[in-house]
Amino acid sequence: MSRSEIAAKPFPLSVDLARAALVIIDMQRDFLEPGGFGAALGNDVSLLMAAVEPCRRMLAGARAAGLLVIHTREGHRPDLSDAPRAKVERGAPEKRIGAPGPMGRILIRGEAGHDIVPALAPLPEEPVIDKPGKGAFYQTDLDLMLRNRGIETLLVCGVTTEVCVHTTVREANDRGYRCLVLADACASYFPEFHEVGLRMIAAQGGIFGWVSTTDTVLAALAAQDQAA
Ligand code: C5J
């Protein structure tokens, strides 16, 4: 497969799409839906919901093109043995990780709120990385999976831009992966953090990665299909 030149900031990125994976970060009900953890903390979850449709389109395009698709979820074991006290003890007790919420215990694996939103439900063959931290590489087998498949470039989307997307992109960058972040398929409860978060990634000649859009990447996938 030939390389595709994908328009991006700070400059176009040459991608071997056969060695690219789509990584969808934490599109979980607890973060996105009314009544979840994010909403309980007082956030406007509609800001995050705006990323669902771009993610859905990107997911459909990646599946059609045969790309490796990886989903991540932030959450913990029911006994909280993998949750640092410093993380659990943050905030009001009734809104902490493990506390009962409208969609089950907040950010606990197996609870309804921990699940990925139905529009982006993983297929059985798509790996789901359950991560205890913000970064998708921390204490997971993501790096092993990517290396086993010869992946070089990550197409990254999901929430939140400045927390789990950013942390994952930084981790990936240090491990030698090129990261192309899809601006419209990421979101934050804080629009200004989203904007600045994206600018930080592409700053200084692409210090952590590149920033593009769903449509741009979908067009590159379609062009590759036609050329094949
Ligand atoms: C947060 C995330 N914001 N997925 N998680 O705690 O960004």
Side-chain angles (χ1 to χ4, degrees), residues 4-17 20-25 58 67 152-158 165 168-169 172-173 177-186 198 201-202 206 208-218 220-221:
S4 299
E5 191 90 337
I6 301 184
K9 286 180 183 162
F11 56 84
L13 178 63
S14 169
V15 180
D16 179 351
L17 289 167
L22 175 65
V23 182
I24 307 179
I25 306 284
M58 192 58 236
L67 261 59
E152 296 173 343
T153 303
L154 306 185
L155 310 173
V156 186
C157 56
V165 171
T168 299
V169 167
N173 178 72
Y177 299 100
R178 294 184 192 88
C179 290
L180 185 63
V181 179
L182 308 178
D184 54 319
C186 296
L198 294 174
I201 290 166
F208 304 129
W210 289 258
V211 176
S212 189
T213 65
T214 303
D215 281 344
T216 307
V217 175
L218 288 174
L221 288 174

Side-chain angles (χ1 to χ4, degrees), residues 72-180:
T72 76
R73 299 185 293 204
E74 180 179 355
H76 296 278
R77 294 171 181 261
D79 64 3
L80 297 181
S81 56
D82 61 347
R85 279 184 63 185
K87 186 177 183 188
V88 174
E89 290 176 355
R90 238 167 279 171
E94 69 278 10
K95 292 177 182 167
R96 289 181 181 169
I97 292 166
M103 286 190 272
R105 292 179 66 204
I106 293 167
L107 286 186
I108 297 298
R109 294 178 191 158
E111 302 285 350
H114 178 258
D115 245 341
I116 291 170
V117 293
L120 304 174
L123 294 177
E125 65 272 24
E126 291 170 353
V128 178
I129 302 285
D130 278 323
K131 61 189 185 65
K134 306 301 184 198
F137 289 85
Y138 176 67
Q139 299 289 348
T140 73
D141 50 9
L142 175 59
D143 191 41
L144 183 62
M145 280 186 197
L146 298 174
R147 290 193 194 284
N148 284 343
R149 311 256 192 138
I151 298 296
E152 296 173 343
T153 303
L154 306 185
L155 310 173
V156 186
C157 56
V159 298
T160 60
T161 313
E162 78 282 11
V163 184
C164 291
V165 171
H166 234 260
T167 307
T168 299
V169 167
R170 288 169 187 245
E171 288 180 330
N173 178 72
D174 281 350
R175 286 165 176 78
Y177 299 100
R178 294 184 192 88
C179 290
L180 185 63

